Amino acid sequence: MTVTKAEEHDLVLRTFRVLIADLVQHYGGGHPGGAMGMAAIGIALWKYTMRYSPRDPNYFNRDRFVLSNGHACLFQYTFLHLVGYEHMTMDQLKSYHSNELESFCPGHPEIEHPGIEVTTGPLGQGIANSVGMAIAAKNLAATYNRPGFDVVDSRIYCMIGDACLQEGVALEAISLAGHLGLGNLTVLYDNNQITCDGSVDITNTEDINAKFRACNWDVLEIEDGCNDVDGIVAAIHEAKTTSKPTLINIHTIIGIGADIQGTAAAHGAAFGTSSVEKLKEHFGFDPKEYFVVSPQVYRFFGDAVIRGEKLQRDWSDLVESYNAAYPELGADFARRVKGELPSDWKKYIPLEFPSTPTATRKSSGLVANPLAQHINSFMVGTADLTPSVNMAYKDKVDFQNPEVRVSCGANGDYSGRYIHYGIREHAMCAISNGLAAYNKGTFIPITSTFFMFYLYAAPAVRMGALQELQVIHVGTHDSIGTGEDGPTHQPIALTNFYRALPNLLYLRPCDTEEAAGSWECAIEAKSTSSIISCSRQNLPQFVGLTDRNKVKLGAYTLYGPDDADLQILGTGAELGFGLEAAKLLEQRGIRVRVISFPCVELFERQSKEYKASILRRGKVPTIIVEAYAVNGWERYATAGFSMSSFGKSLPGKDAYNFFGFTGEKIAHKIEKYYKSFQEDHDSLWTFQDLN
Amino acid sequence: MTVTKAEEHDLVLRTFRVLIADLVQHYGGGHPGGAMGMAAIGIALWKYTMRYSPRDPNYFNRDRFVLSNGHACLFQYTFLHLVGYEHMTMDQLKSYHSNELESFCPGHPEIEHPGIEVTTGPLGQGIANSVGMAIAAKNLAATYNRPGFDVVDSRIYCMIGDACLQEGVALEAISLAGHLGLGNLTVLYDNNQITCDGSVDITNTEDINAKFRACNWDVLEIEDGCNDVDGIVAAIHEAKTTSKPTLINIHTIIGIGADIQGTAAAHGAAFGTSSVEKLKEHFGFDPKEYFVVSPQVYRFFGDAVIRGEKLQRDWSDLVESYNAAYPELGADFARRVKGELPSDWKKYIPLEFPSTPTATRKSSGLVANPLAQHINSFMVGTADLTPSVNMAYKDKVDFQNPEVRVSCGANGDYSGRYIHYGIREHAMCAISNGLAAYNKGTFIPITSTFFMFYLYAAPAVRMGALQELQVIHVGTHDSIGTGEDGPTHQPIALTNFYRALPNLLYLRPCDTEEAAGSWECAIEAKSTSSIISCSRQNLPQFVGLTDRNKVKLGAYTLYGPDDADLQILGTGAELGFGLEAAKLLEQRGIRVRVISFPCVELFERQSKEYKASILRRGKVPTIIVEAYAVNGWERYATAGFSMSSFGKSLPGKDAYNFFGFTGEKIAHKIEKYYKSFQEDHDSLWTFQDLN
């Protein structure tokens, strides 16, 4: 008896859906409905179109798959199982959501597990990540491919649900992807019209196809997305033929086959034993058998491993001849594939800098621009602040769709490494995560905007830190020194978030020398995201005092004796006030040590002894001077000269003055505090707000 | 000689543009180009269409104007001056950006100044605020208007630039506004195709009209937006005739008349003396005269004050007859206009609650649902988490376009007070700011989603706090106790941001009694935003220990003697662990006091004496137990049992256990710490991380 392809598909679809219901029921919770509805899409991808290698999940030229609707992770886990990813055993699938610590099946996909390209869950991030991956593939192809040698031609497939299409970060990324003409990106939309609150038309009645077309996407539509594997395959192939990104709008039914199919109830909970039994009967399975996958189903996917191994062999052969034909380019490509920088990268950082007052945003450019110019791993971008953030490097070429000639400003092509992200801070950072995740170290993405607007981007910055992705964010116009733009643009509390965020370096250099050290730390942090926080305004250069090599200590003595009577901690733009105050206090007979504290996270990594030598807890009054909310400095200081309100629209100097940030005012407050300490040593116990 | 209307317009346009250039040149910085390009739009609004009263900027039934491109604030300031807002003198205009502290002309519009509806600047916020205002007006009209008595019929005008249209928060709000059919909203798009980086087509080549139409908006287009006042006026009138929100896409030239018109250089800097002189010559002004506004120009706008006063009189008369015809409704309307709650609002909060374990997300509902049910000031919303956040109250009616019947889920109408925001957290909070700013106290907007996703919404939450708007955010599924959803959903550092943010109450109740106290604090905080942070999982009820009336103290003794040997501080879902540990430590002979610490911000407002009585700094070891990053607790505690990494996908209890959060494990670590303290009292100086 021959089995038709349609019969095979039917068996796989039924098996997959019953298995999902079983797995969710097994744990007693999770997200079954979406995964069940998307089964035919999975077959179209993993059986017929996507290029991957189960035996080597990180095979460089694989297609990337991103599950932007991450809660439907069982969809991905189960296909990884069926096509032969060795780690993804049936027992692993059963560990979904459970308390088995070594599970590869957490509640949302996590990047550290084989076959998972990015961690998703917070909605809208995944599709923006996939835009980053598409940029990565386009850029590598434009940089390295040569006639007959398409050493990079991977495509990006991103699965989204109704929810992702409502999130702002996704809408930003969609708009940019259309502009850039990322024809290597295919987004598969699981259009089941259900979210937690019920029908999508409770909150969204837009014409999604027209919206994507308006954003320069191609749109294809599949009516019977639950069953029409062939239609989806054809659409995926058609998407490869266009120079635009493609949305495949696939109509599905959430929880198809369950008695609550098509409702919100099918979204985020186990169906219950009796419903699962009914589902099995409906699909022709024995209600009392669990986790049934017949040999026929495994056979159906049995060619995936062989196909993957052949892909790898072919690619290796291609790269080998490529290396022969283009030895220099090949060596450079090999370095990128390995995720390495040229070993001598530091040589591009100047050894000396101007000693005239310089804004650290300019300092940052002095350090980073030559690096970005000479090392093609750097992918620099800005959220429409090129004139302000100083990240445009010499001879930069924009990353642009060469088919779109812009009316003014720089044109570019896909080999360009400067991205005009537009006023899309959140997407900028989420896209950069995708660039970094494409293959660790192949790109070092740099983003830039005003520091305050890293609040817009914070969910993406956080996801980068969580995923141990190296992304470097340049936040200029930090603190009230930014001036006239006023309280909306003056960050007060944002540092408190970033200093508390695990695996993120918030680096705040006080001059160009420290900017050099900050960049070095950020570049050496291969599995950590960084923010380099810069002033808008000119700052004095502390030549001979600051030391780039000490930034990695997090904090170090800048001035004064180790056994001083009093210590002042300072960061970035306000360090100068601290130093001024110190000199005034010296004139009044108080011996002061000034400690530059560019990075709390790095300081915390130092030895107990080093930390104690800097902090001298319980021995001397120690005052932090910083124009941010003080929360957290109480660990290091006994008093703070800081901000407890929002800022004010005034010229930078006047804003500082208004809030008491002058050497004289600070010295006055500190002197008073110092005297109270002399009268009562125990006053140190209670942290004092001096401002 | 009669002057034609066209001639008048021409004079006003030229005068306005020269004045803007002068004002920016006067300070030597600022944003001239946009304001100059938008001059004709301003005439259309302030002269011909918008209803407002210069002598009473807060006249209740006025049309609202929101400048979403807030950097172009001189546009608004100057029209306020021309139409006769008394505070806005020419001297005030000259104070733009300057260091005169009492300036009404900061770098971005600020809500505290007359004639400014919301503070704008961070791009995209303003248009979302205006959607909130349109909802407010629609809801009030549907609630209070009766045949012949349109006591509320104000319209919302929002000015946007190219940048706002790229921001995700705007795109979310646009999608929702179209869905809701907010026909009272008109968005005027200053389409000058220039942003900081240059031409918009560097980064955005979408078909903006098609995109808006796909989102259920009407779109009108003005080709010569720099001059065609009549065309703009006609479009504004046409927009009033449709039940959809309208985008008027107005093509303008940035910095028109300047030698750098139409370029990014005209955007954000003074033109320079010679350029301003050339501009004046071009427009027929004397290059050596400054700030010239002829009497003819003032006369042109001279009817604005009278028109405004008539509007007010007519409305007062209308309301008077309305009160006579509908005395009960009239009284309720008067209360809303005054921005008051019924004086007996607290009676809706139950005096007792179930003593069985309850999730604080459920507790929050037990407190807030009856309030929302009975008091129509509450405007409740959720970002698609109705089943999870427990904010749906009895007999709720959805705020919906009655012309759109949704296929499943609740229908509603414009009198409804439950908003399905969709998966649009950022817009939800920005829209809520608009609701709150419509007229202070008329609405108390409530938002809700998982606490982690208040990171998506953080820029809007911050803007609410900055503007002293009362918005109450309900963040459920806080801490690692949220469980299986894993690290993407488990907040670690987010509290550090919100606790550092000025003018925001981050309230974290530990049981239902404290949830009642938290809601009371949030409702009594008329000029402060609040977040009520709730657990997903059931928590023990500390009957007889917790006290709703003490939440306002921020922290209070829950258990144990005042002179205990050791203190444990606890919040929310982890307080129970602290109490368990305390009881275990007692068995080991250590006398422990447990302090519930639901709100740091409120504690900081207490007297020095009260704070000292709670903290006992320098006297006893004090340990904070909380599953968040510890930064900031060092002010109150000597050690912390907290989180220094991201979370983990495990069932809630297992996640707690994995990170050491059990009474036994905590007691063990604290006991060890206590002993080290007995050996060395000075060990208290250095904050200890016990976990």
Side-chain angles (χ1 to χ4, degrees), chain B residues 18 21-22 25 259 270-281 287 290:
Chain B
V18 167
D22 262 350
Q25 190 59 38
D259 48 7
F271 294 151
T273 317
S274 98
S275 281
V276 173
E277 287 180 3
K278 274 188 264 174
L279 176 84
K280 288 181 184 174
E281 278 172 7
Y290 302 91

PDB file of all heavy atoms in Angstrom, chain B residues 18 21-22 25 259 270-281 287 290:
ATOM      1  N   VAL B  18       9.905  84.742  10.920  1.00  0.00           N
ATOM      2  CA  VAL B  18      11.021  85.616  11.291  1.00  0.00           C
ATOM      3  C   VAL B  18      11.173  85.646  12.816  1.00  0.00           C
ATOM      4  O   VAL B  18      12.294  85.594  13.349  1.00  0.00           O
ATOM      5  CB  VAL B  18      10.789  87.030  10.712  1.00  0.00           C
ATOM      6  CG1 VAL B  18      11.756  88.023  11.337  1.00  0.00           C
ATOM      7  CG2 VAL B  18      10.962  87.001   9.188  1.00  0.00           C
ATOM      8  N   ALA B  21      12.888  82.512  14.059  1.00  0.00           N
ATOM      9  CA  ALA B  21      14.327  82.566  13.773  1.00  0.00           C
ATOM     10  C   ALA B  21      15.035  83.508  14.756  1.00  0.00           C
ATOM     11  O   ALA B  21      16.120  83.203  15.257  1.00  0.00           O
ATOM     12  CB  ALA B  21      14.566  83.000  12.335  1.00  0.00           C
ATOM     13  N   ASP B  22      14.397  84.638  15.040  1.00  0.00           N
ATOM     14  CA  ASP B  22      14.951  85.586  16.015  1.00  0.00           C
ATOM     15  C   ASP B  22      15.086  84.959  17.401  1.00  0.00           C
ATOM     16  O   ASP B  22      16.103  85.127  18.085  1.00  0.00           O
ATOM     17  CB  ASP B  22      14.030  86.816  16.120  1.00  0.00           C
ATOM     18  CG  ASP B  22      14.530  87.992  15.266  1.00  0.00           C
ATOM     19  OD1 ASP B  22      15.675  87.922  14.761  1.00  0.00           O
ATOM     20  OD2 ASP B  22      13.769  88.957  15.110  1.00  0.00           O
ATOM     21  N   GLN B  25      17.828  82.448  17.492  1.00  0.00           N
ATOM     22  CA  GLN B  25      19.106  83.139  17.388  1.00  0.00           C
ATOM     23  C   GLN B  25      19.431  83.873  18.692  1.00  0.00           C
ATOM     24  O   GLN B  25      20.583  83.894  19.130  1.00  0.00           O
ATOM     25  CB  GLN B  25      19.068  84.135  16.213  1.00  0.00           C
ATOM     26  CG  GLN B  25      20.424  84.726  15.870  1.00  0.00           C
ATOM     27  CD  GLN B  25      21.432  83.639  15.501  1.00  0.00           C
ATOM     28  OE1 GLN B  25      21.104  82.664  14.849  1.00  0.00           O
ATOM     29  NE2 GLN B  25      22.650  83.803  15.973  1.00  0.00           N
ATOM     30  N   ASP B 259      18.196  80.041   4.401  1.00  0.00           N
ATOM     31  CA  ASP B 259      19.062  79.557   3.319  1.00  0.00           C
ATOM     32  C   ASP B 259      19.336  78.061   3.428  1.00  0.00           C
ATOM     33  O   ASP B 259      19.775  77.442   2.460  1.00  0.00           O
ATOM     34  CB  ASP B 259      20.361  80.383   3.243  1.00  0.00           C
ATOM     35  CG  ASP B 259      21.013  80.560   4.606  1.00  0.00           C
ATOM     36  OD1 ASP B 259      20.532  79.933   5.588  1.00  0.00           O
ATOM     37  OD2 ASP B 259      21.984  81.325   4.700  1.00  0.00           O
ATOM     38  N   ALA B 270      20.452  77.290  15.955  1.00  0.00           N
ATOM     39  CA  ALA B 270      20.244  78.653  15.472  1.00  0.00           C
ATOM     40  C   ALA B 270      20.872  78.766  14.077  1.00  0.00           C
ATOM     41  O   ALA B 270      21.846  78.077  13.770  1.00  0.00           O
ATOM     42  CB  ALA B 270      20.868  79.645  16.429  1.00  0.00           C
ATOM     43  N   PHE B 271      20.284  79.633  13.275  1.00  0.00           N
ATOM     44  CA  PHE B 271      20.764  79.737  11.892  1.00  0.00           C
ATOM     45  C   PHE B 271      22.067  80.529  11.782  1.00  0.00           C
ATOM     46  O   PHE B 271      22.776  80.437  10.785  1.00  0.00           O
ATOM     47  CB  PHE B 271      19.710  80.437  11.021  1.00  0.00           C
ATOM     48  CG  PHE B 271      18.434  79.654  10.864  1.00  0.00           C
ATOM     49  CD1 PHE B 271      17.227  80.318  10.668  1.00  0.00           C
ATOM     50  CD2 PHE B 271      18.425  78.273  10.903  1.00  0.00           C
ATOM     51  CE1 PHE B 271      16.042  79.603  10.506  1.00  0.00           C
ATOM     52  CE2 PHE B 271      17.247  77.549  10.744  1.00  0.00           C
ATOM     53  CZ  PHE B 271      16.055  78.224  10.548  1.00  0.00           C
ATOM     54  N   GLY B 272      22.335  81.366  12.755  1.00  0.00           N
ATOM     55  CA  GLY B 272      23.466  82.282  12.644  1.00  0.00           C
ATOM     56  C   GLY B 272      22.976  83.653  12.199  1.00  0.00           C
ATOM     57  O   GLY B 272      21.971  83.765  11.482  1.00  0.00           O
ATOM     58  N   THR B 273      23.685  84.682  12.664  1.00  0.00           N
ATOM     59  CA  THR B 273      23.220  86.050  12.445  1.00  0.00           C
ATOM     60  C   THR B 273      22.983  86.361  10.974  1.00  0.00           C
ATOM     61  O   THR B 273      21.943  86.896  10.599  1.00  0.00           O
ATOM     62  CB  THR B 273      24.278  87.038  12.988  1.00  0.00           C
ATOM     63  OG1 THR B 273      24.723  86.553  14.242  1.00  0.00           O
ATOM     64  CG2 THR B 273      23.704  88.427  13.146  1.00  0.00           C
ATOM     65  N   SER B 274      23.916  85.998  10.129  1.00  0.00           N
ATOM     66  CA  SER B 274      23.788  86.425   8.739  1.00  0.00           C
ATOM     67  C   SER B 274      22.638  85.689   8.065  1.00  0.00           C
ATOM     68  O   SER B 274      21.915  86.243   7.243  1.00  0.00           O
ATOM     69  CB  SER B 274      25.113  86.249   7.998  1.00  0.00           C
ATOM     70  OG  SER B 274      25.126  85.054   7.272  1.00  0.00           O
ATOM     71  N   SER B 275      22.442  84.422   8.415  1.00  0.00           N
ATOM     72  CA  SER B 275      21.328  83.688   7.838  1.00  0.00           C
ATOM     73  C   SER B 275      19.994  84.277   8.271  1.00  0.00           C
ATOM     74  O   SER B 275      19.047  84.345   7.486  1.00  0.00           O
ATOM     75  CB  SER B 275      21.392  82.216   8.232  1.00  0.00           C
ATOM     76  OG  SER B 275      22.327  81.531   7.448  1.00  0.00           O
ATOM     77  N   VAL B 276      19.931  84.682   9.530  1.00  0.00           N
ATOM     78  CA  VAL B 276      18.680  85.269  10.007  1.00  0.00           C
ATOM     79  C   VAL B 276      18.434  86.595   9.285  1.00  0.00           C
ATOM     80  O   VAL B 276      17.293  86.904   8.914  1.00  0.00           O
ATOM     81  CB  VAL B 276      18.704  85.451  11.535  1.00  0.00           C
ATOM     82  CG1 VAL B 276      17.466  86.218  11.993  1.00  0.00           C
ATOM     83  CG2 VAL B 276      18.795  84.112  12.242  1.00  0.00           C
ATOM     84  N   GLU B 277      19.493  87.333   9.070  1.00  0.00           N
ATOM     85  CA  GLU B 277      19.328  88.588   8.323  1.00  0.00           C
ATOM     86  C   GLU B 277      18.816  88.322   6.911  1.00  0.00           C
ATOM     87  O   GLU B 277      17.893  88.991   6.423  1.00  0.00           O
ATOM     88  CB  GLU B 277      20.650  89.363   8.280  1.00  0.00           C
ATOM     89  CG  GLU B 277      20.974  89.993   9.629  1.00  0.00           C
ATOM     90  CD  GLU B 277      22.291  90.767   9.636  1.00  0.00           C
ATOM     91  OE1 GLU B 277      22.942  90.867   8.562  1.00  0.00           O
ATOM     92  OE2 GLU B 277      22.682  91.258  10.716  1.00  0.00           O
ATOM     93  N   LYS B 278      19.404  87.318   6.275  1.00  0.00           N
ATOM     94  CA  LYS B 278      18.949  86.984   4.918  1.00  0.00           C
ATOM     95  C   LYS B 278      17.476  86.558   4.923  1.00  0.00           C
ATOM     96  O   LYS B 278      16.708  86.899   4.036  1.00  0.00           O
ATOM     97  CB  LYS B 278      19.818  85.858   4.336  1.00  0.00           C
ATOM     98  CG  LYS B 278      21.081  86.383   3.667  1.00  0.00           C
ATOM     99  CD  LYS B 278      21.826  85.285   2.919  1.00  0.00           C
ATOM    100  CE  LYS B 278      22.922  84.709   3.807  1.00  0.00           C
ATOM    101  NZ  LYS B 278      23.610  83.562   3.226  1.00  0.00           N
ATOM    102  N   LEU B 279      17.131  85.807   5.954  1.00  0.00           N
ATOM    103  CA  LEU B 279      15.743  85.348   6.084  1.00  0.00           C
ATOM    104  C   LEU B 279      14.798  86.543   6.172  1.00  0.00           C
ATOM    105  O   LEU B 279      13.739  86.582   5.540  1.00  0.00           O
ATOM    106  CB  LEU B 279      15.605  84.478   7.336  1.00  0.00           C
ATOM    107  CG  LEU B 279      14.205  83.980   7.677  1.00  0.00           C
ATOM    108  CD1 LEU B 279      13.879  82.716   6.897  1.00  0.00           C
ATOM    109  CD2 LEU B 279      14.072  83.715   9.170  1.00  0.00           C
ATOM    110  N   LYS B 280      15.196  87.519   6.960  1.00  0.00           N
ATOM    111  CA  LYS B 280      14.350  88.705   7.136  1.00  0.00           C
ATOM    112  C   LYS B 280      14.191  89.447   5.815  1.00  0.00           C
ATOM    113  O   LYS B 280      13.089  89.860   5.451  1.00  0.00           O
ATOM    114  CB  LYS B 280      14.936  89.623   8.205  1.00  0.00           C
ATOM    115  CG  LYS B 280      14.789  89.054   9.614  1.00  0.00           C
ATOM    116  CD  LYS B 280      15.356  89.981  10.664  1.00  0.00           C
ATOM    117  CE  LYS B 280      15.287  89.335  12.042  1.00  0.00           C
ATOM    118  NZ  LYS B 280      15.943  90.148  13.064  1.00  0.00           N
ATOM    119  N   GLU B 281      15.292  89.576   5.119  1.00  0.00           N
ATOM    120  CA  GLU B 281      15.207  90.242   3.810  1.00  0.00           C
ATOM    121  C   GLU B 281      14.273  89.473   2.878  1.00  0.00           C
ATOM    122  O   GLU B 281      13.402  90.045   2.227  1.00  0.00           O
ATOM    123  CB  GLU B 281      16.600  90.365   3.190  1.00  0.00           C
ATOM    124  CG  GLU B 281      17.350  91.554   3.747  1.00  0.00           C
ATOM    125  CD  GLU B 281      18.813  91.591   3.306  1.00  0.00           C
ATOM    126  OE1 GLU B 281      19.214  90.750   2.455  1.00  0.00           O
ATOM    127  OE2 GLU B 281      19.553  92.433   3.836  1.00  0.00           O
ATOM    128  N   PRO B 287      16.440  93.636   8.365  1.00  0.00           N
ATOM    129  CA  PRO B 287      17.373  92.683   8.994  1.00  0.00           C
ATOM    130  C   PRO B 287      17.850  93.126  10.369  1.00  0.00           C
ATOM    131  O   PRO B 287      18.318  92.306  11.154  1.00  0.00           O
ATOM    132  CB  PRO B 287      18.550  92.624   8.023  1.00  0.00           C
ATOM    133  CG  PRO B 287      18.088  93.264   6.773  1.00  0.00           C
ATOM    134  CD  PRO B 287      16.937  94.151   7.098  1.00  0.00           C
ATOM    135  N   TYR B 290      14.333  93.312  15.463  1.00  0.00           N
ATOM    136  CA  TYR B 290      14.204  92.009  16.093  1.00  0.00           C
ATOM    137  C   TYR B 290      12.828  91.870  16.750  1.00  0.00           C
ATOM    138  O   TYR B 290      12.259  92.848  17.228  1.00  0.00           O
ATOM    139  CB  TYR B 290      15.301  91.812  17.146  1.00  0.00           C
ATOM    140  CG  TYR B 290      16.669  91.941  16.534  1.00  0.00           C
ATOM    141  CD1 TYR B 290      17.321  93.169  16.483  1.00  0.00           C
ATOM    142  CD2 TYR B 290      17.278  90.828  15.930  1.00  0.00           C
ATOM    143  CE1 TYR B 290      18.556  93.295  15.875  1.00  0.00           C
ATOM    144  CE2 TYR B 290      18.522  90.948  15.321  1.00  0.00           C
ATOM    145  CZ  TYR B 290      19.165  92.186  15.293  1.00  0.00           C
ATOM    146  OH  TYR B 290      20.376  92.310  14.684  1.00  0.00           O
TER     147      TYR B 290
END
